[in-house]
Amino acid sequence: MPNPIAYELAVMTLPYQQWHLDRPDASAVVAALEEGKILYLPRLSFILTPQEEALLDPVLLEPERKNISYRPDRDRLDGVAAPEQRPAARQLLQRYYQDCRALMASLLPAYLDACHSPAGTLRLHQVADWRARASWRKDDSRLHVDAFPSRPNRGERILRVFTNINPYGISRTWRIGEPFPPLAQRFLPRLRRYSPLASWWLNAVGITQTRRSRYDHLMLQLHDAMKADTDYQRDGPQLVMAFPPGSTWICFSDQTPHAAMDGQFLLEQTFMLPLSAMRDPRRAPLSVLQSLVHESLI
Ligand SMILES: [Fe+2]
């Protein structure tokens, strides 16, 4: 039987209906987010134009692509199968990026100038369809924290905004896991040791873009150990949460365990954030892990 987590401990609900906010009462928002809570905005929708709505079909994806991706800083769009639909996809992801920036300016202003490397995705597959094709390591219906295998981030935070744009009334359902400190304590004894030689080799042959730090190694090990532990998946602390169409949510996905269980058609915007921009960097996974192993992980 799963060990339930109380909603109030995992989620902060916010009433806002606009991406551009005038003087929101955001005083407690940063603290909640940095604690690992999900900021849930049940009434913050993202309205699609008719041309953008026509994009909501998995046939739009290039074969074997998980999603359409967009890098606003390079104006780079990937994953659209039909050239004639590229302008609408670019417009959609550019608009979403701008709205996410506006929301951050209102709710998380201290992050705005520091965040970098924005990357957005339009996710078109049904969660269940994609899960059926994925290996256990890529199966995001298992509780995990995000860690990028090819892009070491040396402790920087992964901040993600999600909006359910399903036009058929279908919620995006997640399981949300325990806070990061007990999670790290639980799994740390089982994680394999870091090898500087392996880190060098992975970079030398091009598997990683830069060398993995001790931190990157531990986070990937943690990601895999969580997904591989079927007892933890079934019985570990968790909360089921349904995000209906027209809702938006924000979390540090490197900190907050999450699992996508159901749904289709999602917008997601990622920002990387240096620890120095946090109100309390001691909450970051890097700091938590360093305090447990008593050494620098960078
Ligand atoms: Fe994830």
Side-chain angles (χ1 to χ4, degrees):
M1 282 290 286
N3 179 2
I5 295 176
Y7 180 91
E8 308 74 45
L9 295 180
V11 181
M12 172 184 255
T13 306
L14 298 169
Y16 306 116
Q17 301 179 55
Q18 304 290 332
W19 296 85
H20 302 254
L21 300 169
D22 287 331
R23 288 195 292 272
D25 176 17
S27 50
V29 167
V30 178
L33 183 68
E34 292 187 359
E35 275 171 31
K37 285 185 180 174
I38 288 181
L39 304 180
Y40 176 40
L41 298 102
R43 295 192 291 168
L44 184 60
S45 59
F46 186 83
I47 307 299
L48 273 56
T49 66
Q51 292 83 358
E52 291 167 349
E53 254 179 51
L55 300 171
L56 299 184
D57 187 333
V59 300
L60 189 76
L61 284 162
E62 286 174 354
E64 302 308 311
R65 288 281 306 204
K66 188 177 179 184
N67 42 53
I68 290 167
S69 62
Y70 181 60
R71 284 291 306 252
D73 50 349
R74 301 175 194 164
D75 196 26
R76 183 189 166 118
L77 181 75
D78 287 297
V80 183
E84 65 273 17
Q85 283 173 310
R86 289 177 61 86
R90 175 178 272 109
Q91 174 191 285
L92 171 60
L93 285 161
Q94 177 63 234
R95 286 203 310 117
Y96 187 60
Y97 165 67
Q98 295 296 346
D99 275 359
C100 288
R101 292 264 315 172
L103 185 66
M104 193 189 291
S106 306
L107 290 182
L108 306 162
Y111 292 179
L112 192 66
D113 289 337
C115 72
H116 63 92
S117 306
T121 54
L122 170 60
R123 304 186 182 190
L124 299 174
H125 286 295
Q126 261 186 39
V127 168
D129 285 354
W130 186 255
R131 182 172 56 212
R133 292 191 240 166
S135 66
W136 66 267
R137 194 175 266 123
K138 290 188 173 172
D139 178 2
D140 287 339
S141 70
R142 301 178 188 219
L143 281 167
H144 65 283
V145 287
D146 287 345
F148 300 138
S150 63
R151 285 174 287 150
N153 63 34
R154 310 183 79 83
E156 288 203 337
R157 311 304 315 280
I158 305 171
L159 180 65
R160 289 190 145 160
V161 185
F162 304 87
T163 301
N164 185 349
I165 51 170
N166 188 291
Y168 310 114
I170 297 171
S171 292
R172 194 87 176 178
T173 306
W174 273 21
R175 293 185 293 143
I176 301 165
E178 66 191 312
F180 193 83
L183 173 77
Q185 260 172 335
R186 185 191 298 274
F187 281 95
L188 198 57
R190 322 182 201 170
L191 306 186
R192 279 210 315 271
R193 286 186 55 195
Y194 175 75
S195 158
L197 188 63
S199 170
W200 171 84
W201 182 82
L202 287 166
N203 185 216
V205 300
I207 292 174
T208 58
Q209 292 173 4
T210 55
R211 281 192 209 178
R212 278 182 194 161
S213 62
R214 284 177 159 74
Y215 170 79
D216 295 298
H217 168 81
L218 276 182
M219 289 298 283
L220 282 162
Q221 286 277 306
L222 175 59
H223 168 278
D224 289 359
M226 291 173 74
K227 284 189 172 176
D229 186 338
T230 50
D231 290 342
Y232 181 72
Q233 293 294 327
R234 187 187 60 237
D235 301 330
Q238 55 195 279
L239 166 72
V240 176
M241 175 99 189
F243 300 98
S247 69
T248 292
W249 61 106
I250 306 170
C251 73
F252 278 120
S253 64
D254 54 348
Q255 176 177 4
T256 305
H258 56 283
M261 305 311 294
D262 197 14
Q264 185 175 20
F265 305 128
L266 181 80
L267 282 167
E268 172 269 331
Q269 178 66 53
T270 299
F271 298 95
M272 301 305 297
L273 186 79
L275 262 66
S276 57
M278 295 179 66
R279 176 183 287 183
D280 186 358
R282 291 171 303 176
R283 301 278 191 181
L286 174 65
S287 308
V288 172
L289 290 170
Q290 286 185 156
S291 73
L292 291 172
V293 300
H294 306 294
E295 63 173 351
S296 170
L297 294 172
I298 293 299

